[in-house]
Amino acid sequence: MIDYEQISYIEQLLYKALDDLQYALDDCNFKEILNMSRKYKYENSISLDHYLTGHNKMMWRLYTYLINGIHTDDAKRMLYQEFHLEPIICTRLVDDVYVRQRRQMMPNKIYAAHMMKRAGITNKKIATVLEVSSSTVATYLKVNLTVKN
């Protein structure tokens, strides 16, 4: 059977936990994190179509970064500095454009891998030229390719 002292001890622990929770909720850092998460949720719900179609200068700059082989993190930072967009929007734009471009370049890389293999180049050298892994080159070479002469 539970006695009064045990109940009193549990009650003190409960009050202490509630005080700690209240202290955390009142902390300015917690409020800032909560506000940032709300802002992130809102910005994440914004459609990228608005930015992809309406900001030609920004998209030209982004494709310039892509063509020149600028890494995604650098592209995000430079886009943020030049156009003063929110970081989450820059991240989503850069990731979307870079992934789309990578998918569009895949048929070209498959064709190039097949042609280099016909020329007698090793998979390792093909991987170096195409900037992919050797296993990716092996996957590219498994694709049936019909070349018209």
Side-chain angles (χ1 to χ4, degrees), residues 28-41:
C28 63
N29 291 333
F30 179 78
K31 289 179 182 178
E32 183 178 331
I33 290 170
L34 190 62
N35 288 334
M36 285 180 66
S37 68
R38 288 181 184 140
K39 185 177 179 184
Y40 177 82
K41 185 176 179 183

Side-chain angles (χ1 to χ4, degrees), residues 7-31:
I7 294 173
S8 176
Y9 176 72
I10 296 296
E11 186 179 17
Q12 289 174 0
L13 289 177
L14 179 63
Y15 283 130
K16 185 175 183 200
L18 288 174
D19 285 342
D20 290 343
L21 177 65
Q22 188 63 42
Y23 176 74
L25 292 175
D26 290 339
D27 189 16
C28 63
N29 291 333
F30 179 78
K31 289 179 182 178

